[in-house]
Amino acid sequence: MTNLPPPAEELRILDAELRQLDLRRAVLLRRRAWLVHTLRAAAAAPQPAQGTGAAPGGPPAGPATGPATGAAARRPETTAPGVQNVLLVLGGVLLTVAAIAFTLISWGHLGIAGRSLVLGALTVGALGAPVTLLRRGLRATAEAVSGLATALTVLDAYALHEVAFTGADGVGYTAAASAVLAALWAAYGVRLGIFHPLPLAVATAHLPLLLWAIAVGAGPLPLTAVLLATAAGGSAVALRAVSAPVRVVAVVGALGTGAVGVLSAGWLCWSASEPGSAARAAALLVVAAAVALVTGRFAPNREIAVAAAAAAGLCLVAGSAGVLRVSVPGEWTVPGCQLFAILLLAAERTSLPLPLRQGLVRAAVAVQGFAVLWAVPLVAGSVLGPAVQAVTPWSGAPRTVRDAVFAGVPAPAHASTVPLVLAVVAAALVVAGRRTPRRPAVMVVALVLGWAAVLVLPVALQLPYTAGLVTQAAVVVAALGLAVRSDRADGGPSPLALTALLLALLTSVDLALLSLASESATIGVLVTLTVLFGAAGRRPRHAPFTVPAALAHATALACALGASAGLRPPHTALLVLVVPAVAALIASRSSGSRSSGSRATVPVEVAGAAAGLLALALAVPDPPMLALVLSLGGVVAAATALRPERRAVGWAAAVLLPAAAWVRLATWEVGTPEAYTLPVTGPALVVGYLRRRRDTAVSSWTAYGPGLAATLVPSLLAAWDDQHWLRPLLLGVAALAVTLVGARLRLQAPLVLGAGVLALVALHELAPYLTQVVGALPRWVPPALAGLVLLVLGATYEHRLRDARRLREALGRLR
């Protein structure tokens, strides 16, 4: 079945189609005239005679000879209509310039009769000549002469003012003259069907009202009304015009005067000091909105209709906001704008055309966006402001939350209604999200806005400090609960659940920073957050986010407890070490799981490693405590290395445990470290030997590397500063024995460690003699020896590379 539109709508469609047909017909007629002229010019051109040297229908037998043949072969660079137009335009311009010069310069040499006779005769002749030219089909020439005629009418108006109306006001006379000229040109163009007078008349018609208002000394409000009236007239002409140039001129004029009028009305409305003035300016904005709606109603293009309706909606909201600004307290202006924007949404249930409804909806959405931007400063301050408390922790609980957030910084003005603004936008998005295919994205935005509304509520209402902490804690609980509920509803991870988790993490950090103003609040908040995120970590899908957050808050809690107990930072490090131990335990339990909880293993281990580094940093000022922290960290690393997939962590244990021993020995000022390291080396080598017997795949570095390094490295460090010969001798003998054992058993770790220590001991022992030899040699000998060595190395480079490759392969074959 065919859905017929209403008669009025069908009539508008038919009118638009007829206008399009008229435009197309005009274009085709112009194209036909050009083609006819081109064919006539081609037919009138002389054709080259075929001689004996050319066959009929074929190319000439030889090259052209003579200038006539070459000229005929060349194509013209310009068309005949183009030459014609240039000549006509140039002639009209020259005649116009001559008429202007005559009027301005030679006018005074003639009497009143001569002046009137000359200028009148020129004008009448120029106006009448196109009639004769059109009868003879010379339309282009008629257009050129009519252009001269319109210029002469302007000169007539000027001359008339100089002769008959010398006492008249210039602006008022210009207004009257422009009105008369616009009417004359319009009638002249319509009567004769000439091209250019109509656009010129439309452009001139925008001046009379504005010039008249200026002439009578109208104020800003009447001037604005005149601009809007002119824009309305231009819009009407643009909608009814058939000629494209006339429509373009009308659209440009309407947009220019309308934009200036709307801006002027908005400035008058928002700068008014009392409701009456604001209401009068708002009435002008209502008029502008009505003009825009009417224009959109009859606009032939859908995009133009939508844009016009959106502009109308913005004008209505701006006018209402200007009246509210002087009628209610300042903080209620933006909520009032939101209310009017919501009322615009009711246009969807009206009988307005679809483009107008869409434009009004877009205007309402734009107003809501501006309202959200207005709330951004308070939201940003509420999120970033608590970081200031980290500079001066436990300085005392402030009276209100705003004092804690904006400490020493002025808070945004008129911000008490920001939560309401954000909540309204969030609610509108929730309602709109039910009817849109982009529901997940809309719901995520609504969640963020709702979170921001609750977050800034204590700051906007200046609630007490404790109430602010409780509110933010409630936000964390609600966000975590929403994340769990969203996963249950969707059967898997969803954007809404992920957003809720991120908002919970952000709020928890903000809450922890905000609590730093008070000692009791800090401990209470950190305990609450640790327990809360630890409980949320039982959900496998959330564990990669919540468990590391719980460990981070637990680390901060350990530092706070240490500071509250009066412990020095090195002693507080022992409390912090509890976090890496717990992290290792949690990671060991989650790594074997096949569920999504195994994804939390790496984040948990990273959080534990970060806490361990913090403990080391805290213990650095106290060497004995640093040794204890290193040893405990080594134990945690060794326990982690027991898991098959974390064998590489054993290297960290191999570094931490000897480091702890060395720090302890240095603290005790021990001069004979072998007495303390040999008892460790013996059992370590036995354990490594037994392990290699059970598992031949274990490398020599894992089995014997820690035990050998526990004695060789401290002894090497001690021997480097030892001035006696006994320790270097014994260490060299031991390193030689280790090297030989490694070579005999083909073990990489003993061979590399023994050879390295032996080489360093030998270098240490030979260093004094080398120094004496170098000092006794002439200064030119070392550079000469260095050059000789380089030459030898360069000569045998390839051979040395092969030897180095063989050595590397031999070491690689060792176990």
Side-chain angles (χ1 to χ4, degrees):
M1 296 178 66
T2 304
N3 186 14
L4 296 177
E9 180 69 15
E10 185 177 4
L11 180 61
R12 187 185 68 82
I13 296 174
L14 291 177
D15 289 340
E17 294 292 338
L18 289 174
R19 284 196 294 271
Q20 296 294 331
L21 289 175
D22 291 338
L23 291 175
R24 183 61 180 168
R25 185 174 183 274
V27 172
L28 294 176
L29 286 175
R30 287 196 295 271
R31 180 66 178 174
R32 180 182 181 279
W34 182 84
L35 290 174
V36 170
H37 189 279
T38 302
L39 292 175
R40 288 177 180 176
Q47 300 291 335
Q50 295 182 354
T52 58
T65 60
T69 307
R74 287 195 298 267
R75 301 181 63 181
E77 296 181 357
T78 59
T79 61
V83 175
Q84 164 194 295
N85 294 333
V86 170
L87 294 177
L88 291 176
V89 171
L90 181 59
V93 169
L94 292 177
L95 289 175
T96 303
V97 170
I100 294 174
F102 169 76
T103 304
L104 298 179
I105 299 174
S106 301
W107 186 259
H109 299 289
L110 299 175
I112 185 63
R115 301 171 192 172
S116 302
L117 181 62
V118 172
L119 196 56
L122 289 175
T123 304
V124 172
L127 290 174
V131 178
T132 304
L133 294 173
L134 288 174
R135 289 177 181 174
R136 298 188 177 185
L138 302 176
R139 174 171 292 276
T141 307
E143 291 284 352
V145 175
S146 66
L148 173 62
T150 55
L152 288 175
T153 55
V154 177
L155 295 177
D156 287 336
Y158 169 74
L160 188 62
H161 177 268
E162 293 297 322
V163 174
F165 299 99
T166 55
D169 178 62
V171 179
Y173 180 80
T174 304
S178 59
V180 173
L181 289 176
L184 176 63
W185 292 340
Y188 185 68
V190 172
R191 178 67 180 83
L192 297 183
I194 300 177
F195 177 76
H196 85 278
L198 286 178
L200 188 60
V202 172
T204 308
H206 288 80
L207 300 177
L209 284 179
L210 180 61
L211 294 176
W212 170 79
I214 296 175
V216 299
L221 199 65
L223 281 175
T224 304
V226 166
L227 287 172
L228 294 177
T230 304
S235 301
V237 173
L239 292 174
R240 303 297 299 174
V242 176
S243 175
V246 174
R247 189 163 57 251
V248 170
V249 172
V251 167
V252 172
L255 288 178
T257 55
V260 175
V262 168
L263 292 177
S264 176
W267 179 80
L268 292 173
C269 187
W270 280 82
S271 62
S273 58
E274 48 93 15
S277 302
R280 287 189 290 272
L284 293 180
L285 288 174
V286 173
V287 171
V291 172
L293 283 176
V294 173
T295 303
R297 173 65 178 81
F298 296 101
N301 188 282
R302 178 182 177 278
E303 287 74 14
I304 296 176
V306 173
L314 293 177
C315 288
L316 292 175
V317 175
S320 60
V323 176
L324 283 176
R325 191 188 66 82
V326 295
S327 304
V328 298
E331 58 267 17
W332 291 100
T333 302
V334 175
C337 294
Q338 280 190 299
L339 177 61
F340 283 104
I342 292 174
L343 293 177
L344 289 179
L345 295 176
E348 281 197 338
R349 300 183 179 274
T350 63
S351 59
L352 289 173
L354 179 60
L356 297 186
R357 297 201 303 268
Q358 291 177 344
L360 292 175
V361 170
R362 292 184 182 182
V365 173
V367 172
Q368 303 297 339
F370 289 140
V372 172
L373 291 178
W374 172 75
V376 164
L378 185 64
V379 176
S382 301
V383 173
L384 303 177
V388 180
Q389 299 296 330
V391 180
T392 57
W394 297 355
S395 58
R399 187 176 61 87
T400 63
V401 181
R402 180 176 292 189
D403 296 334
V405 172
F406 295 96
V409 179
H414 307 302
S416 59
T417 55
V418 168
L420 176 62
V421 169
L422 295 174
V424 168
V425 179
L429 288 176
V430 170
V431 174
R434 299 175 180 176
R435 296 177 295 175
T436 177
R438 300 179 179 178
R439 184 175 181 274
V442 173
M443 297 305 293
V444 166
V445 176
L447 174 62
V448 174
L449 292 177
W451 164 81
V454 180
L455 183 69
V456 302
L457 182 63
V459 180
L461 300 182
Q462 300 188 31
L463 296 180
Y465 176 71
T466 305
L469 295 179
V470 173
T471 302
Q472 290 201 0
V475 171
V476 176
V477 175
L480 289 177
L482 180 61
V484 174
R485 182 178 179 182
S486 299
D487 271 352
R488 288 178 177 175
D490 299 340
S494 65
L496 190 64
L498 181 59
T499 304
L501 273 177
L502 295 178
L503 292 177
L505 294 173
L506 178 60
T507 309
S508 67
V509 174
D510 195 59
L511 175 60
L513 292 173
L514 188 63
S515 67
L516 290 176
S518 172
E519 178 180 350
S520 58
T522 301
I523 296 176
V525 165
L526 291 177
V527 169
T528 303
L529 292 177
T530 302
V531 173
L532 186 61
F533 280 97
R538 300 180 63 184
R539 298 281 300 177
R541 291 172 182 166
H542 303 155
F545 299 93
T546 54
V547 176
L551 294 174
H553 291 305
T555 303
L557 176 62
C559 295
L561 290 175
S564 177
L567 300 177
R568 295 174 54 245
H571 295 84
T572 305
L574 296 177
L575 295 176
V576 176
L577 274 179
V578 176
V579 177
V582 175
L585 179 61
I586 295 174
S588 65
R589 296 186 61 183
S590 62
S591 61
S593 175
R594 294 179 177 270
S595 64
S596 58
S598 60
R599 294 178 298 179
T601 302
V602 174
V604 168
E605 291 175 341
V606 170
L613 292 176
L614 176 61
L616 289 177
L618 293 174
V620 165
D622 190 349
M625 191 59 62
L626 176 62
L628 179 58
V629 170
L630 286 171
S631 61
L632 293 177
V635 171
V636 174
T640 304
L642 294 177
R643 291 156 45 197
E645 71 278 8
R646 290 293 182 266
R647 297 298 189 196
V649 184
W651 290 99
V655 172
L656 292 174
L657 292 175
W662 300 338
V663 171
R664 174 61 63 183
L665 294 176
T667 303
W668 289 342
E669 299 181 356
V670 173
T672 308
E674 294 83 2
Y676 300 91
T677 57
L678 284 175
V680 177
T681 298
L685 293 177
V686 172
V687 171
Y689 173 73
L690 295 177
R691 183 177 179 185
R692 277 183 60 84
R693 287 187 60 184
R694 291 195 302 268
D695 187 3
T696 57
V698 177
S699 67
S700 61
W701 287 102
T702 303
Y704 305 120
L708 293 173
T711 295
L712 292 177
V713 175
S715 297
L716 179 62
L717 295 177
W720 202 260
D721 291 332
D722 196 346
Q723 302 299 325
H724 301 282
W725 58 272
L726 182 59
R727 175 179 279 116
L729 177 61
L730 295 178
L731 181 60
V733 172
L736 178 60
V738 171
T739 303
L740 294 176
V741 171
R744 175 68 178 83
L745 300 178
R746 302 183 66 185
L747 298 176
Q748 191 179 85
L751 179 62
V752 173
L753 288 176
V757 173
L758 181 60
L760 291 175
V761 170
L763 178 63
H764 175 265
E765 294 302 314
L766 292 176
Y769 303 101
L770 293 176
T771 304
Q772 294 176 4
V773 171
V774 172
L777 291 176
R779 293 188 176 182
W780 57 268
V781 174
L785 290 177
L788 182 62
V789 170
L790 290 176
L791 287 176
V792 174
L793 289 177
T796 58
Y797 183 73
E798 184 178 0
H799 187 268
R800 297 292 178 252
L801 285 178
R802 186 170 63 251
D803 292 343
R805 191 179 301 111
R806 290 175 179 175
L807 177 60
R808 185 184 62 186
E809 293 174 355
L811 288 175
R813 289 193 295 269
L814 299 179
R815 291 172 292 173

